[in-house]
Amino acid sequence: METIKLTTKGQKVTEDVIVQRILELKEKRKAIILAHNYQIPIIQDIADFVGDSLGLSQKASSTDAKIIVFCGVHFMAETASILCPDKKVLIPDMNAGCSLASTINVEQLREWKRKHPNAVVVSYINTTADVKAESDYCCTSSNAVKVINSIPEDKEILFVPDMFLGAYVATKTNRKIHLWPGECHVHAGIRPDDIVSVLEKYEDTEFLIHPECGCVTSCMYYLAEKDLPEDRAHILSTEGMIRRAKSSNLRKFIVATEIGILHRLKKENPDKEFYPLKPDAICQYMKMINLEKLLYSLENLVYEVKVPEPLASRARLPIERMLQIV
Ligand code: 13P
Ligand code: SF4
């Protein structure tokens, strides 16, 4: 049975009608729809490009489209605005925030920098534009190790804001890094016990683990102790998970991240099986975007995310440094 939806004009129509209208308007407006891997399935299916934070930034900076509709969270739309100052960047719901980005503000970062005047600041892409503007480098989960390795070894590093990703990167690079005590409420909820409880049960299964997870430090310990077999446990960004699932010879995967990623994993690997480690790992911010809001956004060219100058130019530097490294 077809789902009946309410359009922005109050009419009852089927989902197909809304999809058709979105596609027509996208064409008319010369817009591109970018969606993060955690978006709801129908938004991923209608998007021109679906990817992780790095892929989305790269796509935003290379597109010819005049309008970017960002189906993701606010800091992602801000990043697109910073990279493409001449384009109109829209987000279908302004309330789509990020609990991790909210764990540090610019005053807190300035204060921390004052205590470490010679330190290099590396900020995860999940930060606001003004935090980026106070940073030397940006990174995403797929390039954080490379970014840290590009910094001279004698430099003191402040890493903001995700402590789990920061601890993972510190171990991988063997660097002493000061960590801001921030976390994403969705990933922090994926605890070591969640991994331990499934470890022994599934022998022919691969584990795909996001480095923002609360279990990541323990997973690295289990890997070092060989309690978690190296060939069956991989710590990856969301796009890294997509690539790994495709190339692996195994057929079953347990996925430790926000469950929106399962849609693409299943769609692109119909002969393989994917199970969430934690079925309630759901980011309510990512799920704020839906078809009706996307249609409204394209109809009314709202809600614009525009990072003003000179802030945009200052925030662009650490992002561009990152894009040159990867
Ligand atoms: P990636 O898709 O870059 O791995 O990031 C995950 C995330 O939590 C984005 O908010
Ligand atoms: Fe932010 Fe976590 Fe949601 Fe990603 S999953 S957008 S880090 S709150």
Side-chain angles (χ1 to χ4, degrees), residues 9-10 33 41 44 67 73 76 78 115 126-127 142 148 163 165 174 184 189 192 205 207 212 235 241 249 253 262 303:
K9 297 200 169 89
I33 300 174
Q44 294 193 30
I67 297 174
V73 293
M76 294 180 172
E78 260 191 353
K115 290 181 184 150
N126 298 40
T127 42
S142 64
I148 297 289
M163 61 178 169
L165 174 68
N174 210 14
C184 149
T205 305
F207 288 78
E212 279 177 29
I235 299 172
M241 291 181 181
N249 293 328
F253 299 83
L262 292 168
Y303 299 93

Side-chain angles (χ1 to χ4, degrees), residues 93-156:
D93 190 330
M94 268 294 188
N95 295 316
C98 168
S99 63
L100 175 57
S102 304
T103 60
I104 186 159
N105 62 37
V106 69
E107 286 78 28
Q108 289 170 309
L109 178 54
R110 284 190 188 129
E111 181 59 30
W112 206 28
K113 281 172 70 171
R114 272 194 286 275
K115 290 181 184 150
H116 301 271
N118 299 318
V120 170
V121 178
V122 179
S123 69
Y124 192 30
I125 196 129
N126 298 40
T127 42
T128 57
D130 47 2
V131 166
K132 286 186 178 78
E134 284 290 329
S135 307
D136 299 293
Y137 292 85
C138 250
C139 73
T140 73
S141 54
S142 64
N143 60 28
V145 170
K146 270 193 193 161
V147 169
I148 297 289
N149 275 334
S150 76
I151 299 168
E153 284 194 17
D154 58 338
K155 282 283 176 196
E156 191 180 8

Side-chain angles (χ1 to χ4, degrees), residues 179-291:
L179 305 178
W180 185 259
E183 59 179 33
C184 149
H185 70 296
V186 181
H187 288 90
I190 302 177
R191 305 300 312 160
D193 288 353
D194 297 318
I195 285 276
V196 174
S197 59
V198 290
L199 248 180
E200 286 120 31
K201 276 195 247 162
Y202 302 98
E203 287 190 348
D204 56 347
T205 305
E206 209 164 292
F207 288 78
L208 306 178
I209 304 154
H210 196 277
E212 279 177 29
C213 286
C215 64
V216 81
T217 316
S218 306
C219 284
M220 294 202 72
Y221 174 77
Y222 301 147
L223 280 165
E225 293 294 303
K226 311 253 183 282
D227 289 337
L228 199 54
E230 223 173 32
D231 54 337
R232 288 207 293 120
H234 302 278
I235 299 172
L236 299 163
S237 76
T238 57
E239 201 59 30
M241 291 181 181
I242 302 278
R243 282 192 291 271
R244 177 66 207 166
K246 267 187 204 153
S247 64
S248 171
N249 293 328
L250 290 184
R251 289 196 59 254
K252 284 191 200 157
F253 299 83
I254 291 180
V255 185
T257 190
E258 210 274 352
I259 61 165
I261 186 81
L262 292 168
H263 176 63
R264 250 187 96 193
L265 286 169
K266 288 178 185 169
K267 189 171 157 183
E268 295 180 19
N269 303 279
D271 55 330
K272 296 184 177 179
E273 294 170 36
F274 299 91
Y275 303 96
L277 180 67
K278 220 166 165 266
D280 61 350
I282 299 171
C283 174
Q284 68 268 44
Y285 303 112
M286 286 282 181
K287 306 306 187 221
M288 281 180 178
I289 313 294
N290 58 30
L291 275 186

